[in-house]
Amino acid sequence: MSQVLPLRSEVPESLTWNLKDLFSDEAAFEAGLAKVSEQTDELVAGFAGKIASLQEAADIMRLIHAYEKLLISIDRIGNYAYLSFSVDMTDDLRVSRLQKTEALIAQIASQISFVDSDLMDVNPDVMKSAAESEPAYQVFFEGIERRRRHRLHPETEKVLAALSPALELPHTVYEQAKHADMAFPDFQAGGKTWPLSFVSFENDYNLDASAEIRREAFKAFSATLRHYQNTVAALYNGEVQKQKIMAGLRGFDSVFDYLLDDQKVDRSLFDRQIDLILQELAPHMRRYARLLAKTHGLDRMTFADLKIALDAGYDPKVTVEESKRYISSGLRVLGQDYHDLVMQAYDQRWVDFASNKGKSTGGFCSSPYQLHGYILLSWTGRLSEVFTLAHELGHAAHFALNQQHQPYLATEPSLYLVEAPSTCNEMLLSQDLLSQNDDPRFQRWVLASMIQNTYFHNFVTHLLEAAYQREVYQLADQGEFLTATVLNKIKRDVLEKFWGDAVEITEGAELTWMRQPHYYMGLYSYTYSAGLTIATAASQRIRREGEPAVEDWLTALKAGGSVSPVEFARLAGIDINTDQPLRDTIAYIGSIIDQLETLSETLA
Ligand SMILES: [Zn+2]
């Protein structure tokens, strides 16, 4: 944990991404900023105060094209400033460049907000013929219409927009409390003293192979969370009540309909994920918890033990160079074009592999329009990181294909499916690894990785957040207020219901609702399992049927934001109007756990 990281300037260029594809140098970036300001002035001069009276479809489309061009320029400068910052957050130049860019973007956003609102006032027949004149923009017009139905009086919208920093306070204060104010005490384990922080608990101690370290860390961590439970509950209650009030103001029957509206799915799809997983996945995961306890020789299985690796002693290593072979072999099944597309990530330096001081942790992929994905990782040489890379390349390829085939304004996919292309790649990679090496320990490692990383994260951690959220919003819909006592009880009930007698829901587990920023992002948590359901179904179809299934999958990826989640899945040959894909996915998870049990018998 105490390895010394190099400075950004000391990192070999081959391990960094190439931001020159965005702007060749600082002067080009400055020119980019100037261009954005110019385009904004032109848009304002050409259309401010004039949109509502436009009578020709061609004029509407002229406006939309100019608006879209500006948004693409903003997307470029925003990405450049943020990506450059994310690899060295200690560098003053990068920090000030980001601040300057963000301030400019915020200012422009308010200058051009008239476009969206004024389009709602255009004669509906004109809007209709504009939409028909360029069907690729259909989804953009639908969005305007959807928002128009729930729009408030223009003066009220203005007040709400002006108040938005205040309305965002619960989330802002939550992050501050968590990262700036919460001070965690050192804890004792194994005769040693260990320093503790929010991040070190979540990323390290929570997964530590020593039961004593894990459990003592959990105890100390929970004790500190508890000091803040009333404050954080008040913040969270504020967030939930705000959403309920907004739902009412905008004419939604319930807060659920309000929060699901822009995901383009109805309540039944949301409920199905939660109900079916709570009932049908739970027995499989309880077996997995028992297997973990048995393999590790634990006296009891507690909530603090759930994230440990099944075989912590087995940790295959891989270099960046070697990762190429795994990615190439794992994703070849998606056809030559897809394969060649993602392999460009190496030659064209899409990925920032370096580990250096000041770099953002975790992994992400950002895809400036019609350029290529930029993927941030911190490569430490574990085979598990090849899964992360395959995942992020799934996002990069999805956006590359989607952007090749859709105008910018039709590229944003529903949250419901955004994790499908990425997790599908994880599935395909693991299937390929399993076919390459039949050493039982390696086989167990791959299968266990799928459970402890992919499925645990998406189908358990986030799903149990979603189950808790549903209870919370139901109370809010009934006019109840939420206190720490109420929230702790809901969280504990959800955990006990899922884990039954297989896991001891230790004191402190009920505070899990304080650990994730997801609760401030509406109904986001359940979408992880929704995306992975589509991914599992797609990867199995690809394995079973080969080329026709690949063709369908690529067609779905190219559709981008132009289709609803149900339609996206239909293009991929999957019917999410039924519960079959989810039932199949749960059965598949069960079959992996069967194999883990058998392999563990063999290896014991
Ligand atoms: Zn992802």
Side-chain angles (χ1 to χ4, degrees), residues 493-567:
D493 286 350
V494 166
L495 291 171
E496 285 176 348
K497 185 173 174 204
F498 187 79
W499 291 110
D501 59 5
V503 178
E504 198 181 303
I505 305 303
T506 335
E507 193 69 27
E510 71 281 5
L511 299 167
T512 306
W513 60 270
M514 295 176 68
R515 288 166 57 177
Q516 276 287 345
H518 288 149
Y519 303 118
Y520 299 84
M521 302 175 186
L523 297 178
Y524 177 39
S525 298
Y526 91 99
T527 64
Y528 284 87
S529 68
L532 184 51
T533 302
I534 296 176
T536 305
S539 63
Q540 304 222 341
R541 231 201 110 200
I542 289 165
R543 193 169 58 159
R544 246 187 355 253
E545 299 171 29
E547 204 167 315
V550 168
E551 281 306 310
D552 289 346
W553 184 236
L554 297 178
T555 303
L557 296 183
K558 288 169 190 167
S562 70
V563 292
S564 70
V566 170
E567 179 64 11

Side-chain angles (χ1 to χ4, degrees), residues 3-171:
Q3 106 223 64
V4 181
L5 291 173
L7 298 173
R8 182 67 185 174
S9 56
E10 297 165 348
V11 160
E13 190 182 63
S14 61
L15 294 180
T16 65
W17 55 29
N18 184 10
L19 291 184
K20 289 198 165 73
D21 290 344
L22 272 165
F23 292 102
S24 55
D25 55 26
E26 205 61 28
F29 174 68
E30 290 294 332
L33 293 178
K35 182 176 157 197
V36 164
S37 298
E38 227 170 82
Q39 286 177 311
T40 305
D41 293 344
E42 279 171 24
L43 189 77
V44 172
F47 294 100
K50 299 175 192 164
I51 295 176
S53 57
L54 292 177
Q55 293 298 332
E56 298 296 329
D59 289 334
I60 298 290
M61 292 317 300
R62 203 162 48 79
L63 159 70
I64 287 174
H65 291 304
Y67 180 56
E68 184 173 60
K69 273 208 184 90
L70 169 60
L71 295 180
I72 293 169
S73 303
I74 294 175
D75 176 58
R76 292 264 162 133
I77 58 165
N79 265 297
Y80 183 80
Y82 181 72
L83 293 171
S84 139
F85 164 78
S86 67
V87 292
D88 189 358
M89 303 184 289
T90 61
D91 178 355
D92 287 347
L93 171 70
R94 296 168 196 257
V95 175
S96 65
R97 192 201 286 124
L98 179 65
Q99 287 171 342
K100 184 172 132 189
T101 309
E102 281 181 341
L104 177 70
I105 293 176
Q107 183 210 324
I108 291 175
S110 78
Q111 273 179 279
I112 63 172
S113 65
F114 72 89
V115 175
D116 199 74
S117 58
D118 290 2
L119 276 172
M120 296 180 198
D121 295 325
V122 173
N123 176 338
D125 292 336
V126 177
M127 288 295 269
K128 196 163 164 260
S129 59
E132 282 163 6
S133 74
E134 291 197 46
Y137 289 86
Q138 186 67 36
V139 66
F140 173 74
F141 284 100
E142 284 166 9
I144 299 274
E145 175 54 21
R146 215 178 42 245
R147 290 193 293 280
R148 193 186 61 77
R149 283 199 297 268
H150 297 287
R151 178 170 60 153
L152 303 171
H153 188 278
E155 286 304 316
T156 315
E157 291 289 356
K158 216 187 250 176
V159 172
L160 288 176
L163 279 175
S164 68
L167 295 172
E168 290 310 313
L169 265 184
H171 188 187

Side-chain angles (χ1 to χ4, degrees), residues 177-187 194-202 217-228 515:
K178 180 168 140 179
H179 293 296
D181 284 350
M182 282 188 193
F184 294 87
D186 294 350
F187 68 94
W194 306 83
L196 182 64
S197 68
F198 207 107
V199 173
S200 69
F201 176 76
E202 295 284 8
F218 181 75
K219 226 187 265 172
F221 178 73
S222 303
T224 300
L225 286 187
R226 198 178 301 285
H227 287 309
Y228 294 85
R515 288 166 57 177

Side-chain angles (χ1 to χ4, degrees), residues 391-392 395 419 422:
H391 176 109
E392 300 303 342
H395 287 306
E419 292 301 334
S422 50

Side-chain angles (χ1 to χ4, degrees), residues 381-403:
R382 294 202 157 102
L383 184 53
S384 57
E385 286 160 354
V386 181
F387 282 93
T388 313
L389 181 55
H391 176 109
E392 300 303 342
L393 286 170
H395 287 306
H398 179 205
F399 280 92
L401 293 170
N402 158 359
Q403 293 172 357

